[in-house]
Amino acid sequence: MKRVEKKTSRAERKARRPDEILVAAFEVFAAKGYAATRVEDVAARLGITKGTIYFYFPTKEVLFQETFRHASTSYTDLSTAIGSLRGSTADRIRALLLISYESTANDRKTGELLRLSLAEGIRFPEAVDCYHGRFITPTLAALAALIEQGVKSGEFCQHAAACARDVLASSIFQVAVWRLMFADRTPVDSKALLEAHIDLVMSGLVQRSEPRY
Amino acid sequence: MKRVEKKTSRAERKARRPDEILVAAFEVFAAKGYAATRVEDVAARLGITKGTIYFYFPTKEVLFQETFRHASTSYTDLSTAIGSLRGSTADRIRALLLISYESTANDRKTGELLRLSLAEGIRFPEAVDCYHGRFITPTLAALAALIEQGVKSGEFCQHAAACARDVLASSIFQVAVWRLMFADRTPVDSKALLEAHIDLVMSGLVQRSEPRY
Amino acid sequence: MKRVEKKTSRAERKARRPDEILVAAFEVFAAKGYAATRVEDVAARLGITKGTIYFYFPTKEVLFQETFRHASTSYTDLSTAIGSLRGSTADRIRALLLISYESTANDRKTGELLRLSLAEGIRFPEAVDCYHGRFITPTLAALAALIEQGVKSGEFCQHAAACARDVLASSIFQVAVWRLMFADRTPVDSKALLEAHIDLVMSGLVQRSEPRY
Amino acid sequence: MKRVEKKTSRAERKARRPDEILVAAFEVFAAKGYAATRVEDVAARLGITKGTIYFYFPTKEVLFQETFRHASTSYTDLSTAIGSLRGSTADRIRALLLISYESTANDRKTGELLRLSLAEGIRFPEAVDCYHGRFITPTLAALAALIEQGVKSGEFCQHAAACARDVLASSIFQVAVWRLMFADRTPVDSKALLEAHIDLVMSGLVQRSEPRY
DNA sequence: CATGAATGAGATTTCATTCAT
DNA sequence: CATGAATGAAATCTCATTCAT
């Protein structure tokens, strides 16, 4: 019977439509920016027509905002990740930053969100808010929490820890910006760069008044 | 008398027009992005009409490219700056990064160029090339030169120096991205952030007289 | 009831639109030439808007080319006409030229195509090719075929027949040009002119073995 | 001294300017048509600027009309030519048509005037009037005069002569149209075509009292 | 006289949005 | 629900025309 073969029923399909649209829209918006993206481009990517998109989203502007929100949501939840980390505080920070990196490296979405935030931030402040709330705040909070632990445990020197949070976070931005700008022309070993960054910062962060080991 | 008041003759005006246009165009392009900028916006900012802009630049696309190039050109020349730096290598690196920071902080142009590079890089690869050539390459070269001096003089440990260049450079990106995104909402003390970054990295970079391990 | 009155469904309308546009466009292009025709003029003639035209044709240039091609296509097919002609070869040639004349006289299209070919030929060489292929080549071929028959049957003298084809064809051009230039100012009896032309040429063409007078 | 070398004084140059402009304008108008011709194109061809053209001609429209008039004026004066013709009436007609042909063949101007008349005739009826008055009317008059002489002298048969004028004239149009359309693609031996045309028409025109063959 | 910078009206073209089917 | 023909506002670009120099 037909029904058996058909894996996605009409109802299922319908339920997924908005998400499908948001996914497709994200790709186009990320690649071309808001103004240069045509609603039809998004539709074409799904093999549907403009009209269908307008059935789910009232305007292009709303489509953009929902798209941005949707794309931000799927970001790996750091607060759960942080609980499962093991090892010294330094190891856990390193692991945390690598998790961020991986999520960026795998689906590029995080990087593209950064691009969109920067590119469209002036016209869509909510997008920046969203990016900030979903990505930056949790990352900074997680880092801050880990650093505090390190200070308490004596691993980190109090003084350096004060602004270590932002400095560590910058490693993520560095890699993201690097990839956005030179993606296809100057391939960079992002992971090595990230780890070097972490190493250098860490070595300035660890307590050193006496022999370390 | 009219004549007396008129400070700019027609000839003078003409000679300055292209530059005036490029300056105005940069502001609008930086604020709205390529696609959302209307040629008329640029004209209005100068109190002239579209036609005048098309008299000097054949298309909006060319206007953008020239604008980008023009804005990139005025970036503080690091190779001259580097010669006038004094003090220890660490001091000179610090000074160099602060120069970059100042140029960004004062006219925002550097930051906006970064924004445009990221936002329009896909459609205007030459813009990225330009930004790369004018800004990133000289900065990295200057840093690399200084680091090498530090290694030779024994100030920096060989091992850490290997990737210090990129890590130091990331401080600039961090500040720039931060300012671009949160300019008016979460004012950041960029200078403090930058100096903290440098401090941390430096402390991981300097040669330490006793064994680390 | 609305439904009853509406003779043309949306689907029917859509199917006819391209042709409707091409017909309207031909009239305007023929009357004003390519450059002086505004796309809006064509739209207005159909009671639609510019946008609709651009929905079917990507540019004004393509619209012109398609229009020309479309207008050329409907020209009376001479190769079928030639088969149904009766009488002496001279009679059949006369009939053939009159068929050409009638098609010109009735819808003016042939004449206007000539005007467009001449007027826009430099910018649209394909238009000339098209006119040549659809109109001139078949006419000349048909005439040549008939003349050859006349020579074989002994009706025409070999010598004169050599270039009779072009000379007979010129009668068509003469009438067409005449009508194009003086259409509304010096009305000419085109038919009489054409027949006189044919008579004169024919009398030079026919084999005469005995005194005419 | 400079003056000696300078062949054209400023005054001379000034006096020729309008004519120079009209000559250049004709070439551009003929090649591109009225609407597609920019005033600047005409200026560029003379190495001067738009402003100068506007000094001599108030609008582009006037420039076109003057240009057309000017180009028509230089047409070989047939009424003087006709007096100097010798030989039989048939010979003189042949010679007259060849004179027309030569003037066309040499400077192409006559052909281009025809093109412009047809292309712009609807918007510039005066251009057609001008072409008619300067070219067609004299040609037809000259032909009619010669034909009448031929009839009086018994060379031509009365009957055929009635419309011989237009038929003979058509040979000129045929050649002109042919050259305009196929100038560079299907080079035609215009002169042979013209002479064949004349031969055929003449042989239908001449009085024949005895067997031709 | 000649120049050419500047204007502004108007033409081509694009595209978000609507709505009858 | 989905479609896609149609709209119309707006953007890019052109060019005849003007006028200060």
Side-chain angles (χ1 to χ4, degrees):
Chain A
M1 259 184 290
K2 262 183 185 172
R3 293 289 169 198
V4 175
E5 303 173 74
K6 213 199 290 184
K7 284 176 197 112
T8 54
S9 74
R10 177 185 295 266
E12 283 175 302
R13 178 132 219 110
K14 173 185 158 187
R16 287 201 202 137
R17 262 287 141 80
D19 268 21
E20 283 177 359
I21 292 172
L22 291 172
V23 168
F26 180 72
E27 287 165 23
V28 188
F29 280 133
K32 318 220 274 185
Y34 175 77
T37 293
R38 289 178 303 152
V39 174
E40 205 160 10
D41 293 337
V42 177
R45 188 168 277 247
L46 291 170
I48 61 177
T49 58
K50 286 178 301 204
T52 306
I53 294 188
Y54 277 95
F55 180 79
Y56 294 102
F57 304 93
T59 66
K60 185 186 171 187
E61 224 161 283
V62 168
L63 175 63
F64 179 80
Q65 284 159 347
E66 300 271 330
T67 295
F68 197 95
R69 204 188 323 280
H70 182 261
S72 312
T73 309
S74 62
Y75 177 65
T76 309
D77 187 3
L78 286 177
S79 54
T80 59
I82 205 173
S84 62
L85 300 175
R86 294 289 167 260
S88 70
T89 307
D91 289 344
R92 289 152 76 196
I93 286 176
R94 203 180 302 267
L96 183 76
L97 293 172
L98 283 170
I99 287 172
S100 285
Y101 163 75
E102 295 293 347
S103 81
T104 300
N106 292 341
D107 65 357
R108 323 183 17 154
K109 212 187 291 188
T110 314
E112 299 293 356
L113 279 170
L114 176 60
R115 191 207 296 281
L116 279 178
S117 291
L118 290 172
E120 313 296 345
I122 294 171
R123 210 167 351 171
F124 295 99
E126 324 86 62
V128 178
D129 292 340
C130 184
Y131 183 79
H132 194 259
R134 298 275 184 182
F135 184 78
I136 295 181
T137 301
T139 304
L140 291 182
L143 281 173
L146 286 172
I147 289 166
E148 202 181 354
Q149 288 176 19
V151 171
K152 276 188 187 148
S153 71
E155 279 177 90
F156 298 158
C157 64
Q158 183 106 35
H159 172 258
C163 43
R165 188 197 68 172
D166 293 342
V167 179
L168 282 167
S170 77
S171 63
I172 305 274
F173 287 113
Q174 178 191 27
V175 171
V177 169
W178 227 251
R179 290 170 61 97
L180 284 176
M181 285 195 100
F182 310 114
D184 302 322
R185 74 186 66 197
T186 317
V188 192
D189 184 346
S190 303
K191 197 167 182 184
L193 184 57
L194 180 70
E195 296 193 325
H197 192 125
I198 300 173
D199 281 346
L200 266 179
V201 176
M202 283 299 183
S203 72
L205 197 56
V206 293
Q207 192 70 266
R208 261 168 290 120
S209 46
E210 56 225 49
R212 268 176 100 198
Y213 302 94
Chain B
M1 261 174 288
K2 259 184 186 171
R3 296 285 170 199
V4 175
E5 301 174 76
K6 212 196 294 185
K7 274 158 204 138
T8 55
S9 74
R10 192 187 184 87
E12 283 175 300
R13 182 117 229 138
K14 182 206 160 173
R16 289 200 202 133
R17 262 289 137 79
D19 269 21
E20 281 177 2
I21 292 171
L22 292 172
V23 169
F26 181 73
E27 288 165 23
V28 188
F29 280 134
K32 317 223 273 185
Y34 176 77
T37 294
R38 290 178 305 148
V39 173
E40 204 160 11
D41 293 339
V42 177
R45 188 169 279 246
L46 292 170
I48 60 179
T49 60
K50 287 174 294 180
T52 304
I53 298 204
Y54 279 97
F55 183 77
Y56 291 98
F57 303 94
T59 65
K60 185 185 169 187
E61 222 161 283
V62 168
L63 175 63
F64 179 79
Q65 285 160 344
E66 300 270 332
T67 295
F68 197 97
R69 203 188 325 280
H70 184 261
S72 311
T73 308
S74 60
Y75 177 65
T76 307
D77 187 2
L78 286 178
S79 55
T80 60
I82 205 173
S84 62
L85 299 177
R86 295 288 166 261
S88 71
T89 308
D91 289 343
R92 288 152 76 196
I93 287 177
R94 202 180 303 267
L96 184 75
L97 292 171
L98 283 171
I99 288 172
S100 285
Y101 163 76
E102 296 293 348
S103 82
T104 301
N106 292 341
D107 66 357
R108 320 180 22 147
K109 214 186 291 190
T110 314
E112 299 293 357
L113 280 170
L114 176 61
R115 189 208 297 281
L116 280 177
S117 290
L118 290 173
E120 314 296 346
I122 294 172
R123 210 173 345 183
F124 295 99
E126 325 85 63
V128 178
D129 292 339
C130 185
Y131 183 79
H132 194 259
R134 297 273 184 184
F135 184 78
I136 295 181
T137 301
T139 303
L140 292 182
L143 282 172
L146 286 173
I147 290 166
E148 200 182 353
Q149 288 177 17
V151 171
K152 276 188 187 148
S153 70
E155 282 177 86
F156 299 158
C157 64
Q158 184 109 36
H159 172 258
C163 45
R165 189 196 67 173
D166 293 342
V167 179
L168 282 168
S170 77
S171 62
I172 305 274
F173 287 113
Q174 177 191 28
V175 170
V177 171
W178 227 252
R179 290 171 61 98
L180 284 177
M181 285 195 99
F182 310 115
D184 303 323
R185 75 188 64 197
T186 317
V188 193
D189 184 346
S190 304
K191 198 167 182 185
L193 184 57
L194 180 70
E195 296 192 327
H197 192 125
I198 300 172
D199 282 346
L200 267 178
V201 175
M202 283 301 183
S203 71
L205 197 56
V206 294
Q207 189 73 263
R208 265 168 272 112
S209 49
E210 50 228 53
R212 259 179 106 199
Y213 305 96
Chain C
M1 261 171 288
K2 258 183 186 171
R3 296 285 170 198
V4 176
E5 302 173 76
K6 212 196 290 183
K7 272 155 206 143
T8 54
S9 75
R10 192 188 185 88
E12 284 175 297
R13 180 118 231 137
K14 181 205 160 175
R16 289 200 202 133
R17 263 289 137 80
D19 269 20
E20 283 176 2
I21 292 171
L22 291 172
V23 169
F26 180 73
E27 288 165 22
V28 188
F29 280 134
K32 317 221 273 187
Y34 176 77
T37 294
R38 289 177 308 147
V39 173
E40 203 159 13
D41 293 339
V42 177
R45 187 169 279 246
L46 291 170
I48 61 179
T49 60
K50 287 174 293 180
T52 304
I53 298 203
Y54 279 96
F55 182 77
Y56 292 98
F57 303 95
T59 64
K60 185 185 171 188
E61 223 161 285
V62 169
L63 175 62
F64 179 79
Q65 284 160 346
E66 300 273 330
T67 295
F68 197 96
R69 204 188 324 280
H70 182 262
S72 312
T73 310
S74 60
Y75 177 64
T76 308
D77 187 3
L78 286 178
S79 56
T80 60
I82 206 174
S84 62
L85 300 176
R86 296 288 167 258
S88 70
T89 307
D91 288 343
R92 289 152 75 195
I93 286 176
R94 201 181 304 267
L96 184 76
L97 292 171
L98 282 170
I99 287 172
S100 285
Y101 164 76
E102 295 294 347
S103 81
T104 300
N106 292 341
D107 65 359
R108 322 181 21 148
K109 213 186 292 189
T110 314
E112 299 293 356
L113 280 170
L114 175 61
R115 189 208 298 280
L116 279 177
S117 290
L118 291 173
E120 313 296 346
I122 294 172
R123 210 170 346 182
F124 295 99
E126 323 86 63
V128 178
D129 292 339
C130 186
Y131 183 79
H132 194 258
R134 297 274 184 184
F135 184 77
I136 296 181
T137 301
T139 304
L140 292 181
L143 282 172
L146 286 173
I147 290 167
E148 200 182 353
Q149 287 178 19
V151 172
K152 276 188 187 149
S153 70
E155 281 176 88
F156 298 159
C157 64
Q158 184 107 35
H159 172 259
C163 45
R165 189 197 68 173
D166 293 342
V167 177
L168 282 167
S170 78
S171 63
I172 305 275
F173 287 113
Q174 177 191 28
V175 170
V177 170
W178 227 251
R179 288 172 61 99
L180 285 177
M181 286 194 98
F182 310 115
D184 303 322
R185 74 188 63 197
T186 318
V188 192
D189 184 346
S190 303
K191 199 167 180 183
L193 183 57
L194 180 70
E195 296 192 325
H197 192 127
I198 300 172
D199 281 347
L200 265 179
V201 176
M202 283 301 183
S203 72
L205 197 56
V206 293
Q207 191 71 264
R208 264 168 279 118
S209 49
E210 56 225 46
R212 266 178 101 197
Y213 304 95
Chain D
M1 262 186 287
K2 261 182 186 173
R3 294 287 170 200
V4 176
E5 302 173 73
K6 215 200 289 185
K7 285 179 195 108
T8 54
S9 74
R10 178 182 293 267
E12 281 175 302
R13 179 131 219 112
K14 174 184 159 189
R16 288 200 201 137
R17 261 289 141 79
D19 267 22
E20 282 176 359
I21 292 172
L22 291 172
V23 168
F26 180 73
E27 287 165 22
V28 187
F29 280 133
K32 318 223 274 186
Y34 176 77
T37 293
R38 289 179 301 152
V39 174
E40 206 160 8
D41 293 337
V42 177
R45 187 168 278 247
L46 291 170
I48 61 177
T49 59
K50 286 178 300 204
T52 306
I53 294 189
Y54 276 94
F55 181 78
Y56 293 102
F57 305 93
T59 66
K60 186 186 171 188
E61 224 161 284
V62 168
L63 174 63
F64 179 79
Q65 284 159 345
E66 301 271 332
T67 295
F68 197 96
R69 202 188 325 280
H70 182 261
S72 312
T73 310
S74 61
Y75 177 66
T76 308
D77 188 2
L78 286 177
S79 56
T80 59
I82 205 173
S84 62
L85 299 177
R86 295 289 167 259
S88 70
T89 307
D91 289 343
R92 289 152 76 195
I93 287 177
R94 201 179 303 266
L96 183 75
L97 292 172
L98 282 171
I99 287 172
S100 285
Y101 163 77
E102 295 293 347
S103 81
T104 300
N106 291 341
D107 66 359
R108 325 180 15 151
K109 213 187 291 189
T110 314
E112 299 293 356
L113 280 170
L114 175 61
R115 190 207 296 280
L116 279 177
S117 291
L118 289 173
E120 313 296 346
I122 294 171
R123 209 169 351 174
F124 295 100
E126 324 85 64
V128 179
D129 292 341
C130 184
Y131 183 79
H132 194 260
R134 298 273 185 181
F135 184 78
I136 297 181
T137 301
T139 304
L140 292 181
L143 281 172
L146 286 173
I147 289 166
E148 200 181 355
Q149 289 177 19
V151 171
K152 276 189 187 148
S153 71
E155 280 178 88
F156 298 159
C157 65
Q158 184 107 36
H159 172 257
C163 44
R165 187 197 67 173
D166 292 342
V167 178
L168 282 167
S170 79
S171 62
I172 304 274
F173 287 114
Q174 178 192 27
V175 170
V177 169
W178 226 251
R179 290 170 61 99
L180 284 176
M181 285 195 102
F182 310 115
D184 303 322
R185 74 187 65 197
T186 318
V188 192
D189 184 348
S190 303
K191 197 167 183 185
L193 184 57
L194 180 70
E195 295 192 326
H197 192 125
I198 300 173
D199 281 348
L200 266 177
V201 175
M202 282 301 183
S203 72
L205 197 57
V206 294
Q207 191 72 263
R208 265 168 278 117
S209 51
E210 57 225 49
R212 263 179 106 201
Y213 305 95

